[in-house]
Amino acid sequence: MPCNVCVEKGKKCCTYRFATTIERYIIDNSKTDGQFANALQPYGKVRGKRTAAKAEVDSYDASNEEAPIDEDLLDFGIEADEEAPIDEDLLDFGLENSYGNEDQVGAMNQDSVGELREENLDSVGVRSSRSRSRKRKTHDDYEEHQEQSKGKKKEPGKRALMISSTQEIPIHLKPEPTTFRGALQTSEASEWQAAADEEYNSLVGKGVFEPCDLPPGRKALTVRWVFKRKLGVDGLVERYKARLVARGFEQKYGTDYEETFATVVKAPSYRLLFAISALFKWTCRQSDIKTAFLHPTLEEEIFIAEPEGYVRNPGKVLQLKKGLYGLKQASRLWYQELRKFYEKIGFMASQYDESVFYKNENDGTTTIYTTYVDDLLSFGPNLETIMQKEKLLSGAFDTKHLGDCHHYLGMEFLKNSRGETFIHQATYIQQILDRFGLRDIRPVSTPMEVGMTTKLKTEQHATADPKFKQRYQSMAGSLTYAATKTRPDIAQATGHLSRFNSNPNAEHMKELERIFAYLRGSPTYGISYATGDIQMYVDSSYNDDPNTARSTTGWLLMAGGGAVSWASRRQGTVSLSSCEAEYKAASEAVQEAVWARCFLQELKIPGINFEDGILLNMDSTSAMKLAKNPEYQSRTKHISVRHHFIREKIQSGEVKINWVSTKDMVADGLTKPLPRPAFEDFRRNMGMKTLEEHMS
């Protein structure tokens, strides 16, 4: 594939493919490739060509309907967990993980990648200061070199490098295949084939579709296979799953669908229930409803093409009678079906999260179910009661009860002998390190250097190469998923660097890779829940964005000694003082605190009451005074009315504010980078620890 530079100049492209990264790196002729060979030899074979080397990868196929990165996620608020419903099977199936392939090359070490990148940022549309001082090799130089090389022996140090992987990656860390044909070309072909057969036979048995002729003027939707390895308690592959998915983006509004919205359980909800479970030593069990979307009857007339590998009626299409994964309305239809079932057996949907269903039992206890499409969690003090509900579920739907929760939405869930709950994403972190070729990057102790937020600026004079931009966005999106689930320690750094997604440069990429370096050194860190009150911490960093002069808000809701909800985001307007910035942040934090209070009060869990309100910890005395009374009128009269919400909640007793010193402000690390000692305190105070510490 020709590179953009050569196409623009109308010259024959002299690039070679490099199968691991999305960026292109150009190896300058002035470098002898003996240096690179030594660096890369541990990770694969080095093969030579005589020409100047340029590298380019297989581009990510946007037509392959992989889920795009959501701008709200990149702005990084906790509301990122409130996106439109995504089937957890599809999420787990790795729609966001499709950048790799089965022949993925082993990662280069950080030093060699750094050398390649610094010398050749021209190829990705951003030039470093180091590259500007060098004479760039032109296509004419390349042709001249070819002429001079004719009839001569190949000399070491005068050839390009091609790399093929020789380092074996564990099966559970390899990317899943993205096509049916690709699945049959892997070492796990028999397992994938069996999984696809099971899925197809299930669809036929449930009468999901029937063959027919396509009516005039209608178009059949195309479909694809999605594959996923399901991991067991030990983190190894337990079973293989295949899912037939319709390409819903081909649907037309008014013809193929009408309403589409369906809710899924929010991350703060299930983390809060994890904390409650640890606090009261509750049982937490997991259930999976098989082929959930196939249960409700489809209202619209929709046609699909026959799936790859299962063309039984050439020249015909399939008319859907029931829902199918991938359809825009499938999640909505399934949620309505499941909600009817819950209400039938006496459960109620929470007003504060409609994917949480609860029932106050006759013995005074509470049984709770959370729903993320077809993945269910059950919480309660009485195991026998929960198992009775599982029997009712099995009677209504084809359900697999998995016992105690161990893997959920890409997280690993553990309990130690003391009953403490621990959630982490060590496997996911290793996967993204492998995916972006950073497995051997040198670890660092903090995700961002102190003071870096004021140094990073928006690129004004250059536009990033599309492939460089795409890699940057993919890396930022992968970090965001970890930062919103179990890694609040990277929330500030990830949120800040995600602001540059529209036009990143080399400096931004360097800092983004630093977060990966930090994760490599701390992959097993997660959140531990044991004992502790429910309280909120809030802080802000005044005027720390050099591009907009806005401040950064950071707040943290703690329960059971661990973080259950957090945010690190840029404020919507410029603040005229640090007091105003703190006041705005506190008003936002109160909204989350009030939600948590109402949510738990509605569930009527014995042993939880908020007679004194939720504690809101602040380190700004001026903002506290402003929250209690309308002081500093001449300096605060311009503040929007919406921010005065905090006063009403303080007066009603729902929130109680408390001053803490900056040293004890846990949310400090959500507003700015901290030096190592302070950062380690910040991480520890959020209830984060390593897997080894939790199990000891």
Side-chain angles (χ1 to χ4, degrees), residues 244-292:
L244 184 64
V245 180
R247 287 186 165 98
F249 60 85
E250 297 177 355
Q251 291 181 261
K252 293 182 179 180
Y253 179 75
T255 301
D256 299 321
Y257 71 98
E258 294 289 343
E259 298 293 331
T260 62
F261 176 77
T263 182
V264 293
V265 63
K266 312 302 183 292
S269 298
Y270 61 70
R271 283 193 297 253
L272 192 52
L273 291 173
F274 286 156
I276 297 300
S277 175
L279 186 62
F280 295 110
K281 304 297 185 290
W282 278 9
T283 296
C284 176
R285 289 173 64 85
Q286 189 171 11
S287 299
D288 178 32
I289 298 179
K290 298 179 181 179
T291 57

Side-chain angles (χ1 to χ4, degrees), residues 154-304:
K154 296 181 182 178
E155 300 176 20
K158 299 295 183 182
R159 60 184 186 273
L161 303 180
M162 296 292 289
I163 303 172
S164 62
S165 177
T166 58
Q167 186 169 355
E168 185 65 26
I169 298 175
I171 286 178
H172 67 285
L173 294 180
K174 289 183 179 179
E176 286 90 2
T178 57
T179 66
F180 184 81
R181 182 179 300 178
L184 299 186
Q185 294 174 350
T186 68
S187 59
E188 305 160 282
S190 59
E191 287 86 353
W192 295 129
Q193 180 70 68
D197 288 343
E198 181 183 358
E199 170 75 356
Y200 183 80
N201 293 334
S202 175
L203 297 175
V204 173
K206 288 181 169 63
V208 175
F209 48 65
E210 61 182 28
C212 68
D213 294 318
L214 185 65
R218 295 299 303 274
K219 182 179 179 182
L221 304 178
T222 57
V223 294
R224 65 169 294 201
W225 287 100
V226 181
F227 300 94
K228 176 64 183 177
R229 301 181 191 93
K230 289 289 187 177
L231 305 182
V233 182
D234 56 2
L236 301 178
V237 179
E238 184 177 69
R239 58 195 172 102
Y240 293 80
K241 289 188 69 174
R243 185 74 74 203
L244 184 64
V245 180
R247 287 186 165 98
F249 60 85
E250 297 177 355
Q251 291 181 261
K252 293 182 179 180
Y253 179 75
T255 301
D256 299 321
Y257 71 98
E258 294 289 343
E259 298 293 331
T260 62
F261 176 77
T263 182
V264 293
V265 63
K266 312 302 183 292
S269 298
Y270 61 70
R271 283 193 297 253
L272 192 52
L273 291 173
F274 286 156
I276 297 300
S277 175
L279 186 62
F280 295 110
K281 304 297 185 290
W282 278 9
T283 296
C284 176
R285 289 173 64 85
Q286 189 171 11
S287 299
D288 178 32
I289 298 179
K290 298 179 181 179
T291 57
F293 285 8
L294 312 185
H295 290 281
T297 301
L298 199 60
E299 299 172 355
E300 295 83 4
E301 189 179 59
I302 298 178
F303 304 91
I304 63 170

Side-chain angles (χ1 to χ4, degrees), residues 35 69 103 176 372 375 409 493 499 514 521 582 639 649 665:
Q35 295 170 313
I69 298 173
D103 299 319
E176 286 90 2
Y372 196 104
D375 280 284
L409 302 182
R499 300 174 188 175
R514 179 186 172 91
E582 295 275 358
I639 297 177
K649 296 305 174 182
M665 173 48 64

Side-chain angles (χ1 to χ4, degrees), residues 269 271-282 360 364-366 368 379 381 530-535 558-560 564 593-614:
S269 298
R271 283 193 297 253
L272 192 52
L273 291 173
F274 286 156
I276 297 300
S277 175
L279 186 62
F280 295 110
K281 304 297 185 290
W282 278 9
N360 301 122
T365 62
T366 301
I368 302 169
F379 299 86
T531 59
D533 296 333
I534 299 173
Q535 56 183 318
M558 299 284 292
V564 297
V594 169
W595 165 83
R597 180 177 184 272
C598 293
F599 177 63
L600 292 175
Q601 281 184 325
E602 181 189 39
L603 298 180
K604 297 179 181 178
I605 299 173
I608 293 183
N609 64 75
F610 297 98
E611 294 180 359
D612 297 328
I614 286 185

Side-chain angles (χ1 to χ4, degrees), residues 440-673:
D440 296 290
I441 192 170
R442 185 177 302 162
V444 295
S445 56
T446 60
M448 182 176 276
E449 292 181 24
V450 175
M452 186 55 66
T453 54
T454 59
K455 298 177 183 177
L456 295 174
K457 297 184 178 181
T458 302
E459 183 63 62
Q460 301 289 346
H461 306 293
T463 302
D465 178 88
K467 289 188 177 181
F468 179 81
K469 177 180 174 181
Q470 181 183 358
R471 175 175 171 82
Y472 186 93
Q473 291 177 341
S474 298
M475 293 171 68
S478 298
L479 291 171
T480 298
Y481 182 67
T484 56
K485 298 303 182 205
T486 65
R487 298 302 298 258
D489 52 334
I490 64 169
Q492 181 276 326
T494 302
H496 190 86
L497 290 168
S498 293
R499 300 174 188 175
F500 307 105
N501 276 299
S502 61
N503 191 29
N505 60 27
E507 187 67 19
H508 303 146
M509 178 63 83
K510 177 183 175 183
E511 292 305 313
L512 198 65
E513 288 182 347
R514 179 186 172 91
I515 304 178
F516 280 87
Y518 167 71
L519 289 178
R520 187 189 174 235
S522 59
T524 64
Y525 267 91
I527 306 174
S528 178
Y529 302 108
T531 59
D533 296 333
I534 299 173
Q535 56 183 318
M536 175 72 77
Y537 291 86
V538 61
D539 198 12
S540 72
S541 180
Y542 175 62
N543 188 24
D544 66 340
D545 188 338
N547 300 297
T548 63
R550 297 179 188 176
S551 305
T552 298
T553 289
W555 51 257
L556 178 74
L557 179 65
M558 299 284 292
V564 297
S565 185
W566 57 86
S568 175
R569 63 167 67 90
R570 184 170 54 191
Q571 294 183 353
T573 57
V574 174
S575 296
L576 302 184
S577 66
S578 59
C579 172
E580 181 180 342
E582 295 275 358
Y583 186 66
K584 288 179 180 178
S587 181
E588 184 178 325
V590 164
Q591 296 173 41
E592 189 73 5
V594 169
W595 165 83
R597 180 177 184 272
C598 293
F599 177 63
L600 292 175
Q601 281 184 325
E602 181 189 39
L603 298 180
K604 297 179 181 178
I605 299 173
I608 293 183
N609 64 75
F610 297 98
E611 294 180 359
D612 297 328
I614 286 185
L615 196 64
L616 177 67
N617 296 292
M618 305 172 62
D619 63 358
S620 171
T621 55
S622 57
M624 290 175 64
K625 290 180 180 178
L626 187 60
K628 291 179 180 178
N629 300 293
E631 298 188 20
Y632 315 112
Q633 176 63 21
S634 62
R635 289 178 288 168
T636 60
K637 59 185 178 182
H638 63 281
I639 297 177
S640 176
V641 173
R642 65 186 297 270
H643 298 301
H644 299 309
F645 171 78
I646 184 174
R647 290 180 186 167
E648 179 180 313
K649 296 305 174 182
I650 291 174
Q651 292 171 3
S652 67
E654 295 177 61
V655 174
K656 181 180 179 181
I657 58 175
N658 176 58
W659 180 85
V660 297
S661 65
T662 300
K663 181 181 178 182
D664 297 324
M665 173 48 64
V666 183
D668 194 31
L670 293 171
T671 64
K672 57 183 175 291

Side-chain angles (χ1 to χ4, degrees), residues 81 100 106 108 143-144 157 243 309 325 344 394 542-543 592 653 671:
D81 294 306
M108 295 187 295
E143 291 181 336
E144 181 181 352
R243 185 74 74 203
Y325 289 90
K344 183 178 178 180
S394 298
Y542 175 62
N543 188 24
E592 189 73 5
T671 64

